[in-house]
Amino acid sequence: MSDRSYGLEVKAGKNAARTANELLEAGKLDYIYNLKDTYGARDGKKLAVPNYLAGRISFSLGA
């Protein structure tokens, strides 16, 4: 079992995940998964996940 905190934010469009980013910066989250219309990408503690892969997310960043 992991003691990491994961945030999940669903986005429509290209806007930044403001709420999740604020929580990450405040130290209340360890990692963020952004579900959006994308091909996917990772930027440090943020992972962009394409909408069509939402059912395959495994919360294992940092493991």
Side-chain angles (χ1 to χ4, degrees), residues 1 3-4 8 12-17 19-20 22-24 26-27 30 37 39-40 45 47 53-54 58 62-63:
M1 184 166 180
D3 62 344
R4 291 176 180 85
L8 181 65
K14 303 274 184 198
N15 298 328
T19 304
E22 289 174 2
L23 290 170
L24 182 67
D30 295 312
D37 188 19
Y39 292 110
K45 294 185 173 192
L47 180 67
L53 293 178
S58 64

Side-chain angles (χ1 to χ4, degrees), residues 3-56:
D3 62 344
R4 291 176 180 85
S5 296
Y6 294 94
L8 181 65
E9 188 147 343
V10 180
K11 299 303 297 177
K14 303 274 184 198
N15 298 328
R18 193 179 95 197
T19 304
N21 284 323
E22 289 174 2
L23 290 170
L24 182 67
E25 290 172 13
K28 296 182 179 190
L29 294 176
D30 295 312
Y31 298 95
I32 298 173
Y33 285 86
N34 289 316
L35 288 174
K36 58 187 190 177
D37 188 19
T38 182
Y39 292 110
R42 184 168 181 181
D43 180 20
K45 294 185 173 192
K46 303 173 190 177
L47 180 67
V49 179
N51 291 327
Y52 61 87
L53 293 178
R56 295 187 180 187

